[in-house]
Amino acid sequence: MSPPRLTGALRSFSNVSKKDDFTEQLYDLKTKRLKRRELFAREGLTWHKIVHFCSEHQDKAQQQAASQELKSILLAAKQIVGDEHGQEAIESAAVFLFETFHNKDHVGTEETRTIKQMFGPFPSSAAEASCAAVAKLVAQLGDSHVEDFVQTHCSRHNPQRGSAFGRNIAFSYESYTLDPLEDLPNSGIHEDNVNLDF
Amino acid sequence: MACARVPLDEQQVTERDAAGRERTLPALHPHRMEGRCFVPYKPPPDDGCSPAEVEEFLELARFITEDLDWLLSLPHDKFWCQVVFDESLQRCLDSYLHQAPRGLDFAALPSSPAVADIQRSLHRTVFLTFLRMATYKESKDNFITPSVFGEIVYENFLFDIPKMMDLCVLFGKGNSQLVHKMIENIFTQQPSYYRDLDETVPTVLQVFDTILEKCGLQCDGATAMEPLKLNAHQQRTAMTMSLQELVDIILYLCDSTSTIYAFLDIFPAACSTFHSHSFLSRLTSFYETTVPDLEKAVKKRNFDDKRRQEDLWKRLSHSCRKMIETCHLLLHHTCLQPILEGGENTQTFAEELLQHFTSFLPEKRFLSDYDEQFPIADDISLLQQALPLIDETRTSYLLEGVQSAWDSTGRRKQHS
């Protein structure tokens, strides 16, 4: 909890601020995760494009193997988002897993964090399974080929639309700190602690 | 994309709606805002909290940082649509200003490196967002008509007086020039903020009265307005109130004095508004009445945790410094500076300065503390140089009064 603040009193008792009801929270973490998923689903890469990409560059035998891996990714995605969500949400999660693991050989801390941030708590076995399936797909298709495909379609890797404001502004983290006039006088603090046990 | 060389507030854009139909809208229009769901900020958890609480904070802070990075990367027109119309963004920014840890807080720096890293990153991103919001001209192509900018920020509460005070105390120390430019720009384009400031100062004074009341020290207003209750002697004092109450009062005092000082230091143009509410005399009298009582309570009360006692003392002593520095800022900008600039009313300002110093004479504790930080003899010497005809009897009387204040506090002057 924040300590009592002057500006808190000014917000409450003066008439110069917007009166918001801060007890009513607009969005919590769960709502935010759902919103992020929705935004992700609207962006560049789709499951359909991934399936097409995996099939167009391979012969029939390879296509069968790829199809198996794609199914594994979908299954893992289903386990991560939960059964109650429709096919669209599952495919969007599968795209997310493909993007996350296309250049990774194991599920590291960063990947765990990224998935958790998008979907909340998830079974680690599903992440392992999707990571392994993506790795097999990438091995068949070729690293650079997949990287080019992802870079072309995926907005997550190109988040900057033009240059971000303030990129070149020198920012200082220095902040006001305690600057007392004097230390607590010894007479006050230590007189209670004088050892009288002669 | 909106068209160039026309202020944003006059631009029209043609876009396709969700159904694919073309429509023409003002560039600043709520339909052009994106639903992003900014989450409100909460401060980092205390040391010793559960890993789940740490994880929750990290997730929250990453969401906000990611969203603000996205916001800062938007083109000028889209940025302003979001800022003006997205209520969740305004709440997110306001929650950060209000709740972000100050350098003065108990646990300002989180001990977890991950928490500290994300907090730093968020701190910078929030600052840049406010900086962009305070800028009406980003480039020759991207700008808003200054008067319209003034209306937009004011009518939509993008900035208000408490927010500007928070900005000063959070970012002013290391970025004083930028924060000064931001606030000066806002006040220049929207003079109504001076009226708001004028309405805010009585509430600031009320905060000091509240502290006086909580310490069982009558303030002038209360004495004049209400008869004293018969059981008033049973009122709690700094010595008898609960320890937690004492801690809260000192924390409140520390935050209030630091915030006022930071605001006036960054934006000295506000000094005249504070001055017009007799802030100086109210603050000196508050100092004289409250500081000795609180000092005594911190020294004499029994603390199980001696580190807490030392910390409270530091906060109280820091508050004293900030009150003295605030008084000096007020005197400097309302009296001394005009005298040094040598304008038309030099004599009037000199008279006012001497009157202020004279009014300090009964506040012996305050006077000696002030004199220690900002020797009054130096200011009087400056006055004598600027106005050689100044009444010497009066200045001698003042200097004797200062010496008498030192004598009465039983302390010895450090400077010559």
Side-chain angles (χ1 to χ4, degrees), chain B residues 243-301:
Chain B
L243 205 53
Q244 190 53 50
E245 273 180 291
L246 180 66
V247 170
D248 282 346
I249 284 173
I250 292 177
L251 286 178
Y252 197 25
L253 180 63
C254 184
D255 178 79
S256 301
T257 52
S258 305
T259 304
I260 295 165
Y261 173 76
F263 180 63
L264 294 177
D265 188 36
I266 296 286
F267 186 57
C271 283
S272 53
T273 309
F274 276 72
H275 199 60
S276 68
H277 286 268
S278 307
F279 195 80
L280 198 54
S281 63
R282 295 286 293 272
L283 191 59
T284 52
S285 131
F286 171 83
Y287 190 103
E288 192 71 14
T289 316
T290 322
V291 167
D293 257 44
L294 287 174
E295 277 184 350
K296 186 179 159 202
V298 176
K299 270 194 220 170
K300 302 288 178 196
R301 285 185 64 149

Short mmCIF file of all heavy atoms in Angstrom, two decimals, chain B residues 243-301:
data_model
loop_
_atom_site.label_atom_id
_atom_site.label_comp_id
_atom_site.label_asym_id
_atom_site.label_seq_id
_atom_site.Cartn_x
_atom_site.Cartn_y
_atom_site.Cartn_z
N LEU B 243 1.64 4.48 17.92
CA LEU B 243 2.89 4.59 17.17
C LEU B 243 2.62 4.67 15.67
O LEU B 243 3.26 5.42 14.92
CB LEU B 243 3.78 3.39 17.49
CG LEU B 243 5.27 3.61 17.29
CD1 LEU B 243 5.78 4.82 18.02
CD2 LEU B 243 6.04 2.36 17.70
N GLN B 244 1.64 3.87 15.24
CA GLN B 244 1.31 3.85 13.81
C GLN B 244 0.82 5.23 13.34
O GLN B 244 1.17 5.68 12.26
CB GLN B 244 0.25 2.78 13.51
CG GLN B 244 0.02 2.52 12.03
CD GLN B 244 1.31 2.22 11.26
OE1 GLN B 244 2.10 1.38 11.67
NE2 GLN B 244 1.54 2.94 10.16
N GLU B 245 0.03 5.89 14.22
CA GLU B 245 -0.45 7.23 13.87
C GLU B 245 0.72 8.20 13.73
O GLU B 245 0.75 9.02 12.81
CB GLU B 245 -1.41 7.75 14.95
CG GLU B 245 -2.85 7.34 14.74
CD GLU B 245 -3.74 7.89 15.84
OE1 GLU B 245 -3.60 7.42 17.00
OE2 GLU B 245 -4.53 8.79 15.56
N LEU B 246 1.67 8.08 14.66
CA LEU B 246 2.84 8.96 14.60
C LEU B 246 3.62 8.72 13.31
O LEU B 246 4.04 9.67 12.63
CB LEU B 246 3.73 8.71 15.83
CG LEU B 246 5.00 9.57 15.91
CD1 LEU B 246 4.66 11.04 16.10
CD2 LEU B 246 5.91 9.09 17.04
N VAL B 247 3.79 7.44 12.98
CA VAL B 247 4.50 7.09 11.74
C VAL B 247 3.77 7.70 10.55
O VAL B 247 4.38 8.34 9.68
CB VAL B 247 4.60 5.55 11.58
CG1 VAL B 247 5.12 5.17 10.21
CG2 VAL B 247 5.51 4.96 12.66
N ASP B 248 2.45 7.53 10.50
CA ASP B 248 1.67 8.05 9.37
C ASP B 248 1.79 9.57 9.25
O ASP B 248 1.92 10.10 8.15
CB ASP B 248 0.19 7.67 9.52
CG ASP B 248 -0.06 6.21 9.13
OD1 ASP B 248 0.86 5.61 8.52
OD2 ASP B 248 -1.12 5.67 9.47
N ILE B 249 1.74 10.25 10.40
CA ILE B 249 1.82 11.71 10.37
C ILE B 249 3.18 12.16 9.82
O ILE B 249 3.26 13.05 8.98
CB ILE B 249 1.58 12.30 11.78
CG1 ILE B 249 0.09 12.24 12.10
CG2 ILE B 249 2.10 13.73 11.90
CD1 ILE B 249 -0.27 12.62 13.50
N ILE B 250 4.24 11.49 10.26
CA ILE B 250 5.58 11.91 9.80
C ILE B 250 5.76 11.58 8.31
O ILE B 250 6.33 12.35 7.54
CB ILE B 250 6.68 11.32 10.70
CG1 ILE B 250 6.58 11.98 12.08
CG2 ILE B 250 8.07 11.53 10.10
CD1 ILE B 250 7.53 11.47 13.13
N LEU B 251 5.23 10.42 7.89
CA LEU B 251 5.31 10.08 6.46
C LEU B 251 4.54 11.10 5.62
O LEU B 251 4.99 11.51 4.54
CB LEU B 251 4.72 8.69 6.21
CG LEU B 251 5.54 7.48 6.64
CD1 LEU B 251 4.78 6.19 6.36
CD2 LEU B 251 6.87 7.46 5.92
N TYR B 252 3.38 11.49 6.12
CA TYR B 252 2.54 12.45 5.41
C TYR B 252 3.24 13.80 5.32
O TYR B 252 3.26 14.45 4.26
CB TYR B 252 1.22 12.58 6.18
CG TYR B 252 0.06 13.19 5.44
CD1 TYR B 252 -0.03 13.15 4.05
CD2 TYR B 252 -0.98 13.79 6.14
CE1 TYR B 252 -1.12 13.70 3.39
CE2 TYR B 252 -2.07 14.35 5.49
CZ TYR B 252 -2.12 14.30 4.11
OH TYR B 252 -3.20 14.86 3.46
N LEU B 253 3.83 14.20 6.43
CA LEU B 253 4.55 15.48 6.47
C LEU B 253 5.73 15.45 5.50
O LEU B 253 5.97 16.40 4.75
CB LEU B 253 5.04 15.74 7.89
CG LEU B 253 5.80 17.03 8.12
CD1 LEU B 253 4.93 18.25 7.85
CD2 LEU B 253 6.34 17.10 9.55
N CYS B 254 6.44 14.32 5.51
CA CYS B 254 7.63 14.17 4.67
C CYS B 254 7.22 14.24 3.19
O CYS B 254 7.85 14.96 2.39
CB CYS B 254 8.28 12.82 4.99
SG CYS B 254 9.80 12.52 4.13
N ASP B 255 6.16 13.54 2.83
CA ASP B 255 5.70 13.55 1.44
C ASP B 255 5.20 14.94 1.05
O ASP B 255 5.52 15.44 -0.03
CB ASP B 255 4.58 12.52 1.25
CG ASP B 255 4.04 12.54 -0.17
OD1 ASP B 255 4.71 11.96 -1.05
OD2 ASP B 255 3.00 13.16 -0.41
N SER B 256 4.42 15.56 1.95
CA SER B 256 3.82 16.86 1.61
C SER B 256 4.90 17.93 1.42
O SER B 256 4.88 18.66 0.42
CB SER B 256 2.87 17.31 2.72
OG SER B 256 1.86 16.35 2.90
N THR B 257 5.84 18.00 2.36
CA THR B 257 6.86 19.06 2.26
C THR B 257 7.77 18.82 1.04
O THR B 257 8.15 19.76 0.36
CB THR B 257 7.70 19.13 3.54
OG1 THR B 257 8.21 17.82 3.84
CG2 THR B 257 6.88 19.60 4.72
N SER B 258 8.07 17.53 0.76
CA SER B 258 8.94 17.23 -0.39
C SER B 258 8.22 17.57 -1.68
O SER B 258 8.84 18.09 -2.63
CB SER B 258 9.31 15.75 -0.42
OG SER B 258 9.89 15.38 0.79
N THR B 259 6.93 17.27 -1.76
CA THR B 259 6.18 17.52 -2.99
C THR B 259 6.04 19.01 -3.25
O THR B 259 6.24 19.47 -4.38
CB THR B 259 4.78 16.86 -2.89
OG1 THR B 259 4.95 15.48 -2.62
CG2 THR B 259 4.00 17.01 -4.18
N ILE B 260 5.71 19.77 -2.20
CA ILE B 260 5.56 21.22 -2.39
C ILE B 260 6.89 21.82 -2.84
O ILE B 260 6.96 22.62 -3.78
CB ILE B 260 5.07 21.90 -1.08
CG1 ILE B 260 3.68 21.40 -0.72
CG2 ILE B 260 5.09 23.42 -1.22
CD1 ILE B 260 3.27 21.71 0.71
N TYR B 261 7.97 21.40 -2.17
CA TYR B 261 9.28 21.93 -2.53
C TYR B 261 9.63 21.60 -3.99
O TYR B 261 10.05 22.47 -4.76
CB TYR B 261 10.38 21.40 -1.60
CG TYR B 261 11.74 21.81 -2.07
CD1 TYR B 261 12.19 23.11 -1.89
CD2 TYR B 261 12.55 20.91 -2.78
CE1 TYR B 261 13.43 23.51 -2.38
CE2 TYR B 261 13.77 21.31 -3.28
CZ TYR B 261 14.21 22.60 -3.08
OH TYR B 261 15.42 23.01 -3.59
N ALA B 262 9.43 20.33 -4.37
CA ALA B 262 9.78 19.90 -5.73
C ALA B 262 8.99 20.72 -6.76
O ALA B 262 9.54 21.18 -7.76
CB ALA B 262 9.50 18.42 -5.90
N PHE B 263 7.71 20.93 -6.48
CA PHE B 263 6.86 21.67 -7.43
C PHE B 263 7.35 23.12 -7.57
O PHE B 263 7.50 23.62 -8.69
CB PHE B 263 5.41 21.62 -6.94
CG PHE B 263 4.44 22.34 -7.84
CD1 PHE B 263 4.23 21.92 -9.15
CD2 PHE B 263 3.73 23.44 -7.38
CE1 PHE B 263 3.33 22.58 -9.98
CE2 PHE B 263 2.82 24.11 -8.20
CZ PHE B 263 2.63 23.67 -9.50
N LEU B 264 7.60 23.78 -6.44
CA LEU B 264 8.01 25.19 -6.52
C LEU B 264 9.42 25.34 -7.09
O LEU B 264 9.73 26.32 -7.77
CB LEU B 264 7.92 25.85 -5.13
CG LEU B 264 6.52 25.98 -4.55
CD1 LEU B 264 6.56 26.58 -3.15
CD2 LEU B 264 5.62 26.83 -5.45
N ASP B 265 10.26 24.35 -6.82
CA ASP B 265 11.62 24.38 -7.33
C ASP B 265 11.62 24.25 -8.86
O ASP B 265 12.35 24.95 -9.56
CB ASP B 265 12.42 23.23 -6.70
CG ASP B 265 13.90 23.32 -7.02
OD1 ASP B 265 14.41 24.44 -7.09
OD2 ASP B 265 14.53 22.25 -7.21
N ILE B 266 10.79 23.34 -9.36
CA ILE B 266 10.73 23.12 -10.81
C ILE B 266 9.96 24.23 -11.50
O ILE B 266 10.30 24.64 -12.60
CB ILE B 266 10.02 21.76 -11.11
CG1 ILE B 266 10.82 20.58 -10.55
CG2 ILE B 266 9.74 21.58 -12.59
CD1 ILE B 266 12.06 20.23 -11.31
N PHE B 267 8.92 24.72 -10.84
CA PHE B 267 8.07 25.72 -11.49
C PHE B 267 7.92 26.96 -10.58
O PHE B 267 6.88 27.16 -9.94
CB PHE B 267 6.71 25.09 -11.79
CG PHE B 267 5.80 25.98 -12.59
CD1 PHE B 267 6.20 26.48 -13.82
CD2 PHE B 267 4.54 26.31 -12.12
CE1 PHE B 267 5.37 27.31 -14.56
CE2 PHE B 267 3.71 27.14 -12.85
CZ PHE B 267 4.12 27.64 -14.08
N PRO B 268 8.95 27.79 -10.52
CA PRO B 268 8.93 28.93 -9.58
C PRO B 268 7.80 29.92 -9.84
O PRO B 268 7.44 30.67 -8.95
CB PRO B 268 10.29 29.60 -9.81
CG PRO B 268 11.12 28.62 -10.54
CD PRO B 268 10.22 27.72 -11.28
N ALA B 269 7.24 29.89 -11.07
CA ALA B 269 6.14 30.82 -11.35
C ALA B 269 4.95 30.58 -10.42
O ALA B 269 4.09 31.45 -10.25
CB ALA B 269 5.70 30.67 -12.80
N ALA B 270 4.90 29.39 -9.79
CA ALA B 270 3.79 29.09 -8.87
C ALA B 270 3.99 29.78 -7.51
O ALA B 270 3.06 29.84 -6.70
CB ALA B 270 3.67 27.58 -8.67
N CYS B 271 5.20 30.30 -7.26
CA CYS B 271 5.49 30.88 -5.94
C CYS B 271 4.52 32.01 -5.61
O CYS B 271 4.05 32.14 -4.47
CB CYS B 271 6.92 31.40 -5.88
SG CYS B 271 8.13 30.09 -5.68
N SER B 272 4.21 32.86 -6.60
CA SER B 272 3.36 34.03 -6.30
C SER B 272 1.96 33.58 -5.87
O SER B 272 1.34 34.24 -5.02
CB SER B 272 3.31 34.98 -7.49
OG SER B 272 2.94 34.27 -8.63
N THR B 273 1.46 32.47 -6.45
CA THR B 273 0.13 31.99 -6.05
C THR B 273 0.17 31.50 -4.60
O THR B 273 -0.72 31.82 -3.80
CB THR B 273 -0.33 30.85 -6.98
OG1 THR B 273 -0.19 31.28 -8.33
CG2 THR B 273 -1.75 30.44 -6.70
N PHE B 274 1.19 30.74 -4.25
CA PHE B 274 1.32 30.28 -2.86
C PHE B 274 1.46 31.50 -1.93
O PHE B 274 0.86 31.55 -0.86
CB PHE B 274 2.54 29.36 -2.71
CG PHE B 274 2.27 27.93 -3.06
CD1 PHE B 274 2.08 27.53 -4.38
CD2 PHE B 274 2.19 26.95 -2.07
CE1 PHE B 274 1.81 26.21 -4.72
CE2 PHE B 274 1.93 25.62 -2.39
CZ PHE B 274 1.75 25.26 -3.71
N HIS B 275 2.26 32.46 -2.39
CA HIS B 275 2.53 33.64 -1.58
C HIS B 275 1.24 34.42 -1.29
O HIS B 275 1.04 34.92 -0.19
CB HIS B 275 3.53 34.52 -2.33
CG HIS B 275 4.23 35.49 -1.46
ND1 HIS B 275 5.01 35.11 -0.39
CD2 HIS B 275 4.29 36.84 -1.50
CE1 HIS B 275 5.49 36.18 0.19
NE2 HIS B 275 5.07 37.25 -0.46
N SER B 276 0.36 34.48 -2.29
CA SER B 276 -0.87 35.27 -2.13
C SER B 276 -1.81 34.66 -1.09
O SER B 276 -2.76 35.30 -0.66
CB SER B 276 -1.59 35.40 -3.48
OG SER B 276 -2.08 34.15 -3.86
N HIS B 277 -1.56 33.41 -0.70
CA HIS B 277 -2.38 32.77 0.35
C HIS B 277 -1.69 32.82 1.71
O HIS B 277 -1.99 31.99 2.58
CB HIS B 277 -2.67 31.32 -0.03
CG HIS B 277 -3.69 31.17 -1.12
ND1 HIS B 277 -5.02 31.02 -0.87
CD2 HIS B 277 -3.56 31.20 -2.46
CE1 HIS B 277 -5.68 30.93 -2.02
NE2 HIS B 277 -4.81 31.03 -3.01
N SER B 278 -0.75 33.73 1.86
CA SER B 278 0.04 33.85 3.10
C SER B 278 0.67 32.51 3.48
O SER B 278 0.72 32.14 4.66
CB SER B 278 -0.84 34.34 4.26
OG SER B 278 -1.49 35.50 3.90
N PHE B 279 1.11 31.79 2.47
CA PHE B 279 1.67 30.46 2.72
C PHE B 279 2.89 30.53 3.63
O PHE B 279 3.08 29.67 4.50
CB PHE B 279 2.05 29.83 1.38
CG PHE B 279 2.30 28.35 1.45
CD1 PHE B 279 1.24 27.46 1.47
CD2 PHE B 279 3.59 27.85 1.52
CE1 PHE B 279 1.46 26.09 1.55
CE2 PHE B 279 3.80 26.49 1.61
CZ PHE B 279 2.74 25.61 1.62
N LEU B 280 3.68 31.59 3.44
CA LEU B 280 4.92 31.72 4.20
C LEU B 280 4.63 31.79 5.70
O LEU B 280 5.23 31.04 6.50
CB LEU B 280 5.64 32.98 3.72
CG LEU B 280 7.10 33.15 4.03
CD1 LEU B 280 7.91 31.96 3.55
CD2 LEU B 280 7.62 34.41 3.35
N SER B 281 3.71 32.67 6.09
CA SER B 281 3.47 32.82 7.53
C SER B 281 2.79 31.56 8.10
O SER B 281 3.07 31.16 9.23
CB SER B 281 2.63 34.07 7.81
OG SER B 281 1.38 33.93 7.22
N ARG B 282 1.92 30.92 7.29
CA ARG B 282 1.27 29.69 7.77
C ARG B 282 2.31 28.58 7.97
O ARG B 282 2.26 27.81 8.93
CB ARG B 282 0.20 29.22 6.77
CG ARG B 282 -0.97 30.19 6.62
CD ARG B 282 -1.91 30.16 7.81
NE ARG B 282 -2.62 28.92 7.96
CZ ARG B 282 -3.78 28.63 7.38
NH1 ARG B 282 -4.36 29.54 6.62
NH2 ARG B 282 -4.37 27.47 7.58
N LEU B 283 3.27 28.52 7.05
CA LEU B 283 4.26 27.44 7.13
C LEU B 283 5.22 27.67 8.30
O LEU B 283 5.55 26.73 9.04
CB LEU B 283 5.04 27.37 5.81
CG LEU B 283 5.94 26.16 5.61
CD1 LEU B 283 5.14 24.86 5.69
CD2 LEU B 283 6.66 26.21 4.26
N THR B 284 5.63 28.92 8.50
CA THR B 284 6.57 29.18 9.60
C THR B 284 5.89 28.92 10.95
O THR B 284 6.50 28.34 11.86
CB THR B 284 7.11 30.63 9.57
OG1 THR B 284 6.01 31.52 9.49
CG2 THR B 284 8.01 30.85 8.38
N SER B 285 4.64 29.32 11.04
CA SER B 285 3.94 29.10 12.31
C SER B 285 3.70 27.60 12.54
O SER B 285 3.80 27.10 13.66
CB SER B 285 2.66 29.93 12.31
OG SER B 285 1.57 29.19 12.69
N PHE B 286 3.40 26.87 11.45
CA PHE B 286 3.24 25.41 11.54
C PHE B 286 4.55 24.78 12.04
O PHE B 286 4.56 23.92 12.92
CB PHE B 286 2.86 24.85 10.16
CG PHE B 286 2.89 23.35 10.08
CD1 PHE B 286 1.80 22.60 10.52
CD2 PHE B 286 4.00 22.67 9.59
CE1 PHE B 286 1.82 21.21 10.46
CE2 PHE B 286 4.03 21.29 9.53
CZ PHE B 286 2.93 20.56 9.97
N TYR B 287 5.66 25.23 11.46
CA TYR B 287 6.98 24.70 11.81
C TYR B 287 7.23 24.89 13.31
O TYR B 287 7.61 23.96 14.03
CB TYR B 287 8.02 25.46 10.99
CG TYR B 287 9.43 24.90 11.04
CD1 TYR B 287 9.93 24.17 9.98
CD2 TYR B 287 10.28 25.15 12.12
CE1 TYR B 287 11.24 23.69 9.98
CE2 TYR B 287 11.57 24.67 12.14
CZ TYR B 287 12.05 23.94 11.07
OH TYR B 287 13.34 23.45 11.09
N GLU B 288 6.99 26.12 13.74
CA GLU B 288 7.28 26.47 15.13
C GLU B 288 6.44 25.63 16.10
O GLU B 288 6.91 25.22 17.15
CB GLU B 288 6.98 27.97 15.33
CG GLU B 288 7.48 28.54 16.63
CD GLU B 288 9.00 28.68 16.67
OE1 GLU B 288 9.64 28.59 15.61
OE2 GLU B 288 9.55 28.86 17.77
N THR B 289 5.20 25.39 15.73
CA THR B 289 4.29 24.69 16.63
C THR B 289 4.52 23.18 16.62
O THR B 289 4.48 22.52 17.66
CB THR B 289 2.82 24.94 16.19
OG1 THR B 289 2.67 26.31 15.88
CG2 THR B 289 1.83 24.53 17.24
N THR B 290 4.74 22.62 15.42
CA THR B 290 4.72 21.17 15.29
C THR B 290 6.08 20.50 15.47
O THR B 290 6.16 19.43 16.08
CB THR B 290 4.19 20.79 13.87
OG1 THR B 290 3.17 21.68 13.52
CG2 THR B 290 3.68 19.38 13.85
N VAL B 291 7.11 21.11 14.90
CA VAL B 291 8.41 20.42 14.87
C VAL B 291 8.91 20.03 16.27
O VAL B 291 9.27 18.86 16.49
CB VAL B 291 9.45 21.26 14.07
CG1 VAL B 291 10.86 20.74 14.28
CG2 VAL B 291 9.08 21.25 12.59
N PRO B 292 8.91 20.96 17.25
CA PRO B 292 9.42 20.55 18.57
C PRO B 292 8.63 19.39 19.17
O PRO B 292 9.21 18.47 19.76
CB PRO B 292 9.27 21.82 19.42
CG PRO B 292 9.23 22.94 18.43
CD PRO B 292 8.55 22.40 17.23
N ASP B 293 7.30 19.39 18.98
CA ASP B 293 6.46 18.31 19.53
C ASP B 293 6.79 16.97 18.89
O ASP B 293 6.92 15.94 19.57
CB ASP B 293 4.98 18.63 19.26
CG ASP B 293 4.30 19.13 20.51
OD1 ASP B 293 4.92 19.96 21.19
OD2 ASP B 293 3.17 18.67 20.78
N LEU B 294 6.89 16.98 17.57
CA LEU B 294 7.16 15.72 16.86
C LEU B 294 8.57 15.23 17.18
O LEU B 294 8.81 14.03 17.37
CB LEU B 294 6.99 15.90 15.35
CG LEU B 294 5.54 16.04 14.86
CD1 LEU B 294 5.49 16.37 13.36
CD2 LEU B 294 4.74 14.76 15.12
N GLU B 295 9.51 16.16 17.27
CA GLU B 295 10.89 15.77 17.60
C GLU B 295 10.95 15.10 18.97
O GLU B 295 11.59 14.06 19.16
CB GLU B 295 11.80 17.00 17.60
CG GLU B 295 12.29 17.38 16.23
CD GLU B 295 13.28 18.54 16.25
OE1 GLU B 295 13.45 19.17 17.32
OE2 GLU B 295 13.85 18.82 15.20
N LYS B 296 10.23 15.71 19.89
CA LYS B 296 10.22 15.17 21.25
C LYS B 296 9.63 13.76 21.24
O LYS B 296 10.16 12.84 21.88
CB LYS B 296 9.39 16.09 22.16
CG LYS B 296 9.42 15.72 23.62
CD LYS B 296 8.58 16.70 24.42
CE LYS B 296 8.17 16.07 25.74
NZ LYS B 296 7.01 16.72 26.32
N ALA B 297 8.54 13.59 20.49
CA ALA B 297 7.89 12.28 20.46
C ALA B 297 8.83 11.23 19.86
O ALA B 297 8.93 10.11 20.37
CB ALA B 297 6.60 12.36 19.65
N VAL B 298 9.51 11.58 18.77
CA VAL B 298 10.40 10.60 18.14
C VAL B 298 11.58 10.27 19.07
O VAL B 298 12.03 9.13 19.16
CB VAL B 298 10.90 11.10 16.76
CG1 VAL B 298 11.89 10.12 16.15
CG2 VAL B 298 9.73 11.31 15.82
N LYS B 299 12.08 11.30 19.79
CA LYS B 299 13.23 11.07 20.68
C LYS B 299 12.84 10.25 21.91
O LYS B 299 13.56 9.36 22.33
CB LYS B 299 13.77 12.42 21.16
CG LYS B 299 14.84 13.01 20.29
CD LYS B 299 15.52 14.13 21.08
CE LYS B 299 15.83 15.31 20.19
NZ LYS B 299 16.26 16.48 20.94
N LYS B 300 11.71 10.61 22.49
CA LYS B 300 11.41 10.07 23.83
C LYS B 300 10.55 8.82 23.84
O LYS B 300 10.52 8.10 24.83
CB LYS B 300 10.70 11.14 24.68
CG LYS B 300 11.46 12.43 24.84
CD LYS B 300 12.65 12.25 25.76
CE LYS B 300 13.45 13.55 25.90
NZ LYS B 300 14.78 13.33 26.45
N ARG B 301 9.80 8.58 22.77
CA ARG B 301 8.90 7.42 22.82
C ARG B 301 9.69 6.14 22.70
O ARG B 301 10.80 6.09 22.17
CB ARG B 301 7.86 7.52 21.70
CG ARG B 301 6.80 8.56 22.01
CD ARG B 301 5.72 8.57 21.00
NE ARG B 301 4.98 7.31 20.98
CZ ARG B 301 3.71 7.22 20.67
NH1 ARG B 301 3.01 8.28 20.34
NH2 ARG B 301 3.10 6.05 20.65
#
